[in-house]
Amino acid sequence: MTADQKEELRHIVLGILVDRHPTALSIKQVFHRAAMEVDFDISGEEVGAALEFQRGLNNVALVPDDFGSTKYYSATSHGVLVHERRIKK
Amino acid sequence: MSARVGKIARLPVAIRDELNRRLLDGQPASKILPWLNGLEAVQKILEEDHEGLRVTDQNLSDWRRGGYADWLRRRENVERTRELSKFSMEMAKASGGNLTEGAAAILSGKILDVLETLENVTREINEMPAGDGLPSRADELLKLSQTLDSLTDSLSSLRAGDHSKQKLTQNQEKLAIMSQQLEIELARLRQQTAKYFMNLRADEREALNAIADSSLSNEDKLEQLGQKLFPLHWKPKSERGL
């Protein structure tokens, strides 16, 4: 994946979580939606990496599942603001 | 879904978003194309991938029918999804149980998934010509409703779990209160015993000392001392349940 595509994927995963705030989605659920929005092939690992990148910026939070090891992510309030301000530019 | 490969589809998402907003605002091609072809980022991509050819009227026309139409549909879905998201979150919490925020968010994400898919399948079925592949879609609908059932069961189990947890917490609190009460009673008993000894006459103390110093077994000494100290309330060992 090129640097531009990675950047695009990061924005898209944040957008997906912001649209569904405050629900939490698994990597698989985000991947399913992201695959419909990009024009290049993506993998679950790449979506996971994009989510972790956004988590590092505090735009996304990891939501632990009490009953398993699946990772779920949800947009933080900060992430919602970042996304909305970007759209308004 | 096959990926879009046209000139406009290869542009960065920020430029595509801006283009879509201009189309939504009704800007004509005569305004859009000069703006688009003037962007440095666009020129760079066109040079690399399309031998410097500019974005044309035809490209824009194709985009309107394809990528722009998809974007419009997604925009409408976003609003609907936001409503569904709030609804499913409320559903997850509405049980009156004590779901953690995290558990409610995850469960609502799963419910949202099923609701969105149900909506899409229902819309597709409505758009299908009559009798065209309906049986297989009916299977799909059945599977989705089974998933929704199973999610509802999970919600009920979480509720039951919450209630058991609440009961356990209540029992633990009761136990803590009972322990405190027992401590208070013991303290009172010790105080009263000490007071009792303080008020004993000299001859009564002598009698007790005689029992304690005798050659009787400890068990028998205890029995005799108990009867001496508490003549009205002392119960024999057999009645004490010890």
Side-chain angles (χ1 to χ4, degrees):
Chain A
M1 198 183 266
T2 65
D4 285 345
Q5 287 171 339
K6 280 183 188 168
E7 188 185 332
E8 184 172 337
L9 186 58
R10 286 170 197 152
H11 287 303
I12 283 173
V13 301
L14 180 60
I16 288 167
L17 291 177
V18 166
D19 286 345
R20 287 154 185 82
H21 180 73
T23 55
L25 302 181
S26 65
I27 294 176
K28 194 173 162 190
Q29 286 170 305
V30 175
F31 167 76
H32 172 67
R33 285 162 180 80
M36 290 194 284
E37 297 200 27
V38 296
D39 298 325
F40 45 88
D41 289 332
I42 56 172
S43 67
E45 287 77 22
E46 283 158 346
V47 167
L51 286 166
E52 283 296 318
F53 182 90
Q54 290 289 14
R55 191 174 150 223
L57 296 175
N58 293 325
N59 293 331
V60 156
L62 183 66
V63 181
D65 183 358
D66 290 336
F67 301 107
S69 59
T70 306
K71 289 183 184 178
Y72 291 86
Y73 296 85
S74 68
T76 60
S77 307
H78 180 257
V80 171
L81 281 176
V82 161
H83 181 71
E84 285 176 357
R85 282 169 188 165
R86 180 176 168 265
I87 288 179
K88 279 189 180 152
K89 271 190 199 162
Chain B
M1 179 183 145
S2 57
R4 298 197 180 280
V5 294
K7 278 184 205 160
I8 296 177
R10 287 172 187 275
L11 299 177
V13 72
I15 294 179
R16 291 198 315 250
D17 281 348
E18 176 59 28
L19 168 62
N20 289 332
R21 273 193 291 278
R22 286 175 181 239
L23 287 168
L24 188 65
D25 287 342
Q27 266 191 27
S30 54
K31 270 198 164 171
I32 291 178
L33 290 173
W35 160 76
L36 196 56
N37 285 312
L39 292 173
E40 210 176 293
V42 173
Q43 285 167 8
K44 190 169 172 236
I45 290 168
L46 292 179
E47 249 172 56
E48 282 170 7
D49 294 347
H50 299 278
E51 297 165 352
L53 295 173
R54 297 161 63 83
V55 177
T56 63
D57 232 340
Q58 186 57 44
N59 297 140
L60 196 59
S61 214
D62 291 342
W63 179 253
R64 252 188 235 271
R65 277 194 304 274
Y68 173 65
D70 285 347
W71 180 81
L72 263 186
R73 244 193 314 273
R74 278 203 296 273
R75 236 178 98 92
E76 281 156 24
N77 280 346
V78 161
E79 261 325 298
R80 205 164 34 243
T81 299
R82 279 212 181 109
E83 292 307 316
L84 277 176
S85 179
K86 279 186 195 153
F87 167 70
S88 59
M89 191 76 175
E90 277 157 25
M91 257 181 79
K93 283 183 174 173
S95 62
N98 208 8
L99 283 178
T100 60
E101 286 291 325
I106 290 170
L107 196 51
S108 71
K110 292 183 180 185
I111 293 170
L112 183 66
D113 235 6
V114 174
L115 290 173
E116 282 180 328
T117 311
L118 260 172
E119 209 181 86
N120 289 338
V121 170
T122 311
R123 190 175 52 240
E124 283 163 19
I125 287 176
N126 287 337
E127 286 167 5
M128 276 164 76
D132 193 15
L134 273 174
S136 62
R137 299 325 294 276
D139 273 346
E140 204 177 332
L141 272 178
L142 181 64
K143 273 189 191 147
L144 284 168
S145 73
Q146 283 168 346
T147 307
L148 200 53
D149 269 347
S150 134
L151 282 171
T152 315
D153 280 346
S154 300
L155 189 57
S156 298
S157 299
L158 275 169
R159 272 185 71 185
D162 280 342
H163 287 160
S164 299
K165 216 166 132 186
Q166 274 178 356
K167 226 174 168 176
L168 184 65
T169 308
Q170 278 168 2
N171 285 345
Q172 282 171 340
E173 281 168 9
K174 266 190 203 164
L175 199 61
I177 291 169
M178 278 168 63
S179 292
Q180 277 176 359
Q181 283 172 340
L182 188 61
E183 271 305 315
I184 291 168
E185 287 304 317
L186 275 172
R188 192 177 291 150
L189 177 66
R190 287 179 199 120
Q191 199 183 25
Q192 282 175 346
T193 306
K195 210 172 167 184
Y196 184 84
F197 268 100
M198 212 169 67
N199 293 335
L200 279 175
R201 294 192 310 270
D203 60 325
E204 282 170 332
R205 276 189 216 152
E206 255 186 58
L208 290 172
N209 283 336
I211 295 171
D213 293 337
S214 70
S215 57
L216 293 170
S217 69
N218 282 342
E219 205 175 316
D220 289 337
K221 279 184 197 176
L222 198 60
E223 279 302 312
Q224 286 194 15
L225 283 169
Q227 280 164 17
K228 241 341 186 215
L229 286 167
F230 311 108
L232 297 175
H233 302 291
W234 185 259
K235 283 185 188 165
K237 186 178 172 184
S238 54
E239 288 177 39
R240 287 202 309 270
L242 291 171

PDB file of all heavy atoms in Angstrom, chain B residues 113-137:
ATOM      1  N   ASP B 113     -25.141  -3.671  12.977  1.00  0.00           N
ATOM      2  CA  ASP B 113     -24.718  -4.468  11.822  1.00  0.00           C
ATOM      3  C   ASP B 113     -25.894  -5.226  11.227  1.00  0.00           C
ATOM      4  O   ASP B 113     -26.151  -5.201  10.027  1.00  0.00           O
ATOM      5  CB  ASP B 113     -23.712  -5.511  12.321  1.00  0.00           C
ATOM      6  CG  ASP B 113     -22.419  -5.436  11.546  1.00  0.00           C
ATOM      7  OD1 ASP B 113     -22.289  -4.511  10.722  1.00  0.00           O
ATOM      8  OD2 ASP B 113     -21.568  -6.292  11.776  1.00  0.00           O
ATOM      9  N   VAL B 114     -26.609  -5.920  12.100  1.00  0.00           N
ATOM     10  CA  VAL B 114     -27.726  -6.749  11.638  1.00  0.00           C
ATOM     11  C   VAL B 114     -28.843  -5.870  11.086  1.00  0.00           C
ATOM     12  O   VAL B 114     -29.412  -6.164  10.023  1.00  0.00           O
ATOM     13  CB  VAL B 114     -28.260  -7.635  12.789  1.00  0.00           C
ATOM     14  CG1 VAL B 114     -29.489  -8.385  12.364  1.00  0.00           C
ATOM     15  CG2 VAL B 114     -27.182  -8.599  13.242  1.00  0.00           C
ATOM     16  N   LEU B 115     -29.136  -4.773  11.771  1.00  0.00           N
ATOM     17  CA  LEU B 115     -30.217  -3.890  11.314  1.00  0.00           C
ATOM     18  C   LEU B 115     -29.883  -3.284   9.946  1.00  0.00           C
ATOM     19  O   LEU B 115     -30.739  -3.215   9.064  1.00  0.00           O
ATOM     20  CB  LEU B 115     -30.457  -2.773  12.343  1.00  0.00           C
ATOM     21  CG  LEU B 115     -31.082  -3.217  13.670  1.00  0.00           C
ATOM     22  CD1 LEU B 115     -31.105  -2.053  14.656  1.00  0.00           C
ATOM     23  CD2 LEU B 115     -32.489  -3.745  13.463  1.00  0.00           C
ATOM     24  N   GLU B 116     -28.629  -2.861   9.765  1.00  0.00           N
ATOM     25  CA  GLU B 116     -28.219  -2.275   8.480  1.00  0.00           C
ATOM     26  C   GLU B 116     -28.319  -3.303   7.366  1.00  0.00           C
ATOM     27  O   GLU B 116     -28.800  -3.015   6.265  1.00  0.00           O
ATOM     28  CB  GLU B 116     -26.773  -1.773   8.561  1.00  0.00           C
ATOM     29  CG  GLU B 116     -26.606  -0.453   9.264  1.00  0.00           C
ATOM     30  CD  GLU B 116     -25.145  -0.007   9.298  1.00  0.00           C
ATOM     31  OE1 GLU B 116     -24.243  -0.859   9.349  1.00  0.00           O
ATOM     32  OE2 GLU B 116     -24.933   1.208   9.288  1.00  0.00           O
ATOM     33  N   THR B 117     -27.867  -4.517   7.669  1.00  0.00           N
ATOM     34  CA  THR B 117     -27.899  -5.558   6.642  1.00  0.00           C
ATOM     35  C   THR B 117     -29.343  -5.921   6.302  1.00  0.00           C
ATOM     36  O   THR B 117     -29.685  -6.074   5.125  1.00  0.00           O
ATOM     37  CB  THR B 117     -27.147  -6.817   7.116  1.00  0.00           C
ATOM     38  OG1 THR B 117     -25.883  -6.429   7.618  1.00  0.00           O
ATOM     39  CG2 THR B 117     -26.987  -7.825   6.001  1.00  0.00           C
ATOM     40  N   LEU B 118     -30.187  -5.989   7.326  1.00  0.00           N
ATOM     41  CA  LEU B 118     -31.601  -6.285   7.104  1.00  0.00           C
ATOM     42  C   LEU B 118     -32.221  -5.241   6.182  1.00  0.00           C
ATOM     43  O   LEU B 118     -32.976  -5.565   5.265  1.00  0.00           O
ATOM     44  CB  LEU B 118     -32.363  -6.252   8.437  1.00  0.00           C
ATOM     45  CG  LEU B 118     -32.649  -7.600   9.095  1.00  0.00           C
ATOM     46  CD1 LEU B 118     -33.230  -7.381  10.480  1.00  0.00           C
ATOM     47  CD2 LEU B 118     -33.600  -8.417   8.249  1.00  0.00           C
ATOM     48  N   GLU B 119     -31.853  -3.992   6.442  1.00  0.00           N
ATOM     49  CA  GLU B 119     -32.383  -2.891   5.648  1.00  0.00           C
ATOM     50  C   GLU B 119     -31.950  -3.020   4.196  1.00  0.00           C
ATOM     51  O   GLU B 119     -32.750  -2.871   3.278  1.00  0.00           O
ATOM     52  CB  GLU B 119     -31.853  -1.582   6.221  1.00  0.00           C
ATOM     53  CG  GLU B 119     -32.775  -0.422   5.997  1.00  0.00           C
ATOM     54  CD  GLU B 119     -32.194   0.855   6.549  1.00  0.00           C
ATOM     55  OE1 GLU B 119     -31.421   1.491   5.806  1.00  0.00           O
ATOM     56  OE2 GLU B 119     -32.530   1.178   7.691  1.00  0.00           O
ATOM     57  N   ASN B 120     -30.656  -3.315   3.997  1.00  0.00           N
ATOM     58  CA  ASN B 120     -30.128  -3.442   2.632  1.00  0.00           C
ATOM     59  C   ASN B 120     -30.788  -4.597   1.899  1.00  0.00           C
ATOM     60  O   ASN B 120     -31.185  -4.469   0.745  1.00  0.00           O
ATOM     61  CB  ASN B 120     -28.606  -3.677   2.652  1.00  0.00           C
ATOM     62  CG  ASN B 120     -27.865  -2.429   3.084  1.00  0.00           C
ATOM     63  OD1 ASN B 120     -28.402  -1.329   2.973  1.00  0.00           O
ATOM     64  ND2 ASN B 120     -26.663  -2.599   3.595  1.00  0.00           N
ATOM     65  N   VAL B 121     -30.912  -5.722   2.592  1.00  0.00           N
ATOM     66  CA  VAL B 121     -31.501  -6.909   1.939  1.00  0.00           C
ATOM     67  C   VAL B 121     -32.968  -6.630   1.586  1.00  0.00           C
ATOM     68  O   VAL B 121     -33.424  -6.963   0.489  1.00  0.00           O
ATOM     69  CB  VAL B 121     -31.380  -8.151   2.856  1.00  0.00           C
ATOM     70  CG1 VAL B 121     -32.194  -9.303   2.317  1.00  0.00           C
ATOM     71  CG2 VAL B 121     -29.924  -8.564   3.000  1.00  0.00           C
ATOM     72  N   THR B 122     -33.673  -6.001   2.519  1.00  0.00           N
ATOM     73  CA  THR B 122     -35.091  -5.699   2.265  1.00  0.00           C
ATOM     74  C   THR B 122     -35.231  -4.771   1.062  1.00  0.00           C
ATOM     75  O   THR B 122     -36.091  -4.977   0.193  1.00  0.00           O
ATOM     76  CB  THR B 122     -35.724  -5.030   3.504  1.00  0.00           C
ATOM     77  OG1 THR B 122     -35.404  -5.802   4.649  1.00  0.00           O
ATOM     78  CG2 THR B 122     -37.221  -4.926   3.371  1.00  0.00           C
ATOM     79  N   ARG B 123     -34.342  -3.760   0.995  1.00  0.00           N
ATOM     80  CA  ARG B 123     -34.395  -2.827  -0.132  1.00  0.00           C
ATOM     81  C   ARG B 123     -34.108  -3.561  -1.435  1.00  0.00           C
ATOM     82  O   ARG B 123     -34.793  -3.373  -2.436  1.00  0.00           O
ATOM     83  CB  ARG B 123     -33.381  -1.700   0.062  1.00  0.00           C
ATOM     84  CG  ARG B 123     -33.545  -0.575  -0.950  1.00  0.00           C
ATOM     85  CD  ARG B 123     -32.615   0.609  -0.708  1.00  0.00           C
ATOM     86  NE  ARG B 123     -31.235   0.221  -0.590  1.00  0.00           N
ATOM     87  CZ  ARG B 123     -30.504   0.454   0.494  1.00  0.00           C
ATOM     88  NH1 ARG B 123     -31.021   1.059   1.533  1.00  0.00           N
ATOM     89  NH2 ARG B 123     -29.245   0.063   0.548  1.00  0.00           N
ATOM     90  N   GLU B 124     -33.107  -4.452  -1.411  1.00  0.00           N
ATOM     91  CA  GLU B 124     -32.759  -5.188  -2.633  1.00  0.00           C
ATOM     92  C   GLU B 124     -33.900  -6.108  -3.071  1.00  0.00           C
ATOM     93  O   GLU B 124     -34.185  -6.238  -4.255  1.00  0.00           O
ATOM     94  CB  GLU B 124     -31.476  -6.003  -2.410  1.00  0.00           C
ATOM     95  CG  GLU B 124     -30.224  -5.137  -2.468  1.00  0.00           C
ATOM     96  CD  GLU B 124     -29.005  -5.826  -1.853  1.00  0.00           C
ATOM     97  OE1 GLU B 124     -29.026  -7.068  -1.725  1.00  0.00           O
ATOM     98  OE2 GLU B 124     -28.056  -5.109  -1.502  1.00  0.00           O
ATOM     99  N   ILE B 125     -34.554  -6.710  -2.094  1.00  0.00           N
ATOM    100  CA  ILE B 125     -35.670  -7.606  -2.431  1.00  0.00           C
ATOM    101  C   ILE B 125     -36.809  -6.802  -3.078  1.00  0.00           C
ATOM    102  O   ILE B 125     -37.408  -7.217  -4.070  1.00  0.00           O
ATOM    103  CB  ILE B 125     -36.183  -8.340  -1.177  1.00  0.00           C
ATOM    104  CG1 ILE B 125     -35.163  -9.415  -0.763  1.00  0.00           C
ATOM    105  CG2 ILE B 125     -37.543  -8.988  -1.424  1.00  0.00           C
ATOM    106  CD1 ILE B 125     -35.511 -10.148   0.508  1.00  0.00           C
ATOM    107  N   ASN B 126     -37.039  -5.601  -2.513  1.00  0.00           N
ATOM    108  CA  ASN B 126     -38.111  -4.759  -3.067  1.00  0.00           C
ATOM    109  C   ASN B 126     -37.816  -4.335  -4.504  1.00  0.00           C
ATOM    110  O   ASN B 126     -38.727  -4.119  -5.303  1.00  0.00           O
ATOM    111  CB  ASN B 126     -38.306  -3.503  -2.199  1.00  0.00           C
ATOM    112  CG  ASN B 126     -38.981  -3.840  -0.890  1.00  0.00           C
ATOM    113  OD1 ASN B 126     -39.665  -4.856  -0.789  1.00  0.00           O
ATOM    114  ND2 ASN B 126     -38.768  -3.021   0.116  1.00  0.00           N
ATOM    115  N   GLU B 127     -36.495  -4.211  -4.808  1.00  0.00           N
ATOM    116  CA  GLU B 127     -36.123  -3.753  -6.147  1.00  0.00           C
ATOM    117  C   GLU B 127     -36.049  -4.901  -7.147  1.00  0.00           C
ATOM    118  O   GLU B 127     -35.931  -4.677  -8.356  1.00  0.00           O
ATOM    119  CB  GLU B 127     -34.756  -3.046  -6.092  1.00  0.00           C
ATOM    120  CG  GLU B 127     -34.835  -1.661  -5.447  1.00  0.00           C
ATOM    121  CD  GLU B 127     -33.452  -1.103  -5.099  1.00  0.00           C
ATOM    122  OE1 GLU B 127     -32.427  -1.742  -5.441  1.00  0.00           O
ATOM    123  OE2 GLU B 127     -33.403  -0.031  -4.473  1.00  0.00           O
ATOM    124  N   MET B 128     -36.101  -6.141  -6.646  1.00  0.00           N
ATOM    125  CA  MET B 128     -35.962  -7.293  -7.562  1.00  0.00           C
ATOM    126  C   MET B 128     -37.252  -7.527  -8.324  1.00  0.00           C
ATOM    127  O   MET B 128     -38.339  -7.364  -7.751  1.00  0.00           O
ATOM    128  CB  MET B 128     -35.668  -8.561  -6.753  1.00  0.00           C
ATOM    129  CG  MET B 128     -34.201  -8.744  -6.425  1.00  0.00           C
ATOM    130  SD  MET B 128     -33.978  -9.960  -5.126  1.00  0.00           S
ATOM    131  CE  MET B 128     -34.234 -11.421  -6.028  1.00  0.00           C
ATOM    132  N   PRO B 129     -37.121  -7.992  -9.595  1.00  0.00           N
ATOM    133  CA  PRO B 129     -38.333  -8.398 -10.323  1.00  0.00           C
ATOM    134  C   PRO B 129     -38.951  -9.587  -9.606  1.00  0.00           C
ATOM    135  O   PRO B 129     -38.238 -10.397  -9.013  1.00  0.00           O
ATOM    136  CB  PRO B 129     -37.822  -8.825 -11.701  1.00  0.00           C
ATOM    137  CG  PRO B 129     -36.441  -8.283 -11.806  1.00  0.00           C
ATOM    138  CD  PRO B 129     -35.915  -8.107 -10.420  1.00  0.00           C
ATOM    139  N   ALA B 130     -40.273  -9.701  -9.651  1.00  0.00           N
ATOM    140  CA  ALA B 130     -40.978 -10.744  -8.904  1.00  0.00           C
ATOM    141  C   ALA B 130     -40.483 -12.134  -9.282  1.00  0.00           C
ATOM    142  O   ALA B 130     -40.286 -12.435 -10.455  1.00  0.00           O
ATOM    143  CB  ALA B 130     -42.478 -10.641  -9.165  1.00  0.00           C
ATOM    144  N   GLY B 131     -40.254 -12.989  -8.288  1.00  0.00           N
ATOM    145  CA  GLY B 131     -39.867 -14.385  -8.503  1.00  0.00           C
ATOM    146  C   GLY B 131     -38.412 -14.566  -8.870  1.00  0.00           C
ATOM    147  O   GLY B 131     -37.956 -15.676  -9.103  1.00  0.00           O
ATOM    148  N   ASP B 132     -37.639 -13.478  -8.873  1.00  0.00           N
ATOM    149  CA  ASP B 132     -36.256 -13.563  -9.356  1.00  0.00           C
ATOM    150  C   ASP B 132     -35.290 -13.804  -8.181  1.00  0.00           C
ATOM    151  O   ASP B 132     -34.841 -12.872  -7.554  1.00  0.00           O
ATOM    152  CB  ASP B 132     -35.921 -12.222 -10.055  1.00  0.00           C
ATOM    153  CG  ASP B 132     -34.645 -12.317 -10.856  1.00  0.00           C
ATOM    154  OD1 ASP B 132     -34.185 -13.432 -11.101  1.00  0.00           O
ATOM    155  OD2 ASP B 132     -34.124 -11.259 -11.232  1.00  0.00           O
ATOM    156  N   GLY B 133     -34.999 -15.080  -7.868  1.00  0.00           N
ATOM    157  CA  GLY B 133     -34.033 -15.368  -6.793  1.00  0.00           C
ATOM    158  C   GLY B 133     -34.562 -15.082  -5.399  1.00  0.00           C
ATOM    159  O   GLY B 133     -33.789 -14.975  -4.459  1.00  0.00           O
ATOM    160  N   LEU B 134     -35.869 -14.950  -5.247  1.00  0.00           N
ATOM    161  CA  LEU B 134     -36.421 -14.637  -3.927  1.00  0.00           C
ATOM    162  C   LEU B 134     -36.151 -15.708  -2.876  1.00  0.00           C
ATOM    163  O   LEU B 134     -35.878 -15.368  -1.733  1.00  0.00           O
ATOM    164  CB  LEU B 134     -37.940 -14.372  -4.031  1.00  0.00           C
ATOM    165  CG  LEU B 134     -38.291 -12.917  -4.373  1.00  0.00           C
ATOM    166  CD1 LEU B 134     -39.780 -12.757  -4.615  1.00  0.00           C
ATOM    167  CD2 LEU B 134     -37.859 -11.982  -3.257  1.00  0.00           C
ATOM    168  N   PRO B 135     -36.210 -17.011  -3.247  1.00  0.00           N
ATOM    169  CA  PRO B 135     -35.981 -18.029  -2.220  1.00  0.00           C
ATOM    170  C   PRO B 135     -34.636 -17.872  -1.514  1.00  0.00           C
ATOM    171  O   PRO B 135     -34.558 -17.988  -0.298  1.00  0.00           O
ATOM    172  CB  PRO B 135     -36.021 -19.356  -3.001  1.00  0.00           C
ATOM    173  CG  PRO B 135     -36.905 -19.068  -4.158  1.00  0.00           C
ATOM    174  CD  PRO B 135     -36.634 -17.631  -4.522  1.00  0.00           C
ATOM    175  N   SER B 136     -33.560 -17.565  -2.277  1.00  0.00           N
ATOM    176  CA  SER B 136     -32.244 -17.454  -1.627  1.00  0.00           C
ATOM    177  C   SER B 136     -32.207 -16.216  -0.727  1.00  0.00           C
ATOM    178  O   SER B 136     -31.594 -16.220   0.329  1.00  0.00           O
ATOM    179  CB  SER B 136     -31.129 -17.378  -2.663  1.00  0.00           C
ATOM    180  OG  SER B 136     -31.311 -16.216  -3.443  1.00  0.00           O
ATOM    181  N   ARG B 137     -32.900 -15.139  -1.140  1.00  0.00           N
ATOM    182  CA  ARG B 137     -32.912 -13.943  -0.288  1.00  0.00           C
ATOM    183  C   ARG B 137     -33.713 -14.237   0.971  1.00  0.00           C
ATOM    184  O   ARG B 137     -33.427 -13.711   2.051  1.00  0.00           O
ATOM    185  CB  ARG B 137     -33.529 -12.749  -1.009  1.00  0.00           C
ATOM    186  CG  ARG B 137     -32.833 -12.275  -2.277  1.00  0.00           C
ATOM    187  CD  ARG B 137     -31.332 -12.384  -2.266  1.00  0.00           C
ATOM    188  NE  ARG B 137     -30.632 -11.551  -1.337  1.00  0.00           N
ATOM    189  CZ  ARG B 137     -30.296 -10.276  -1.551  1.00  0.00           C
ATOM    190  NH1 ARG B 137     -30.666  -9.676  -2.653  1.00  0.00           N
ATOM    191  NH2 ARG B 137     -29.596  -9.605  -0.662  1.00  0.00           N
TER     192      ARG B 137
END
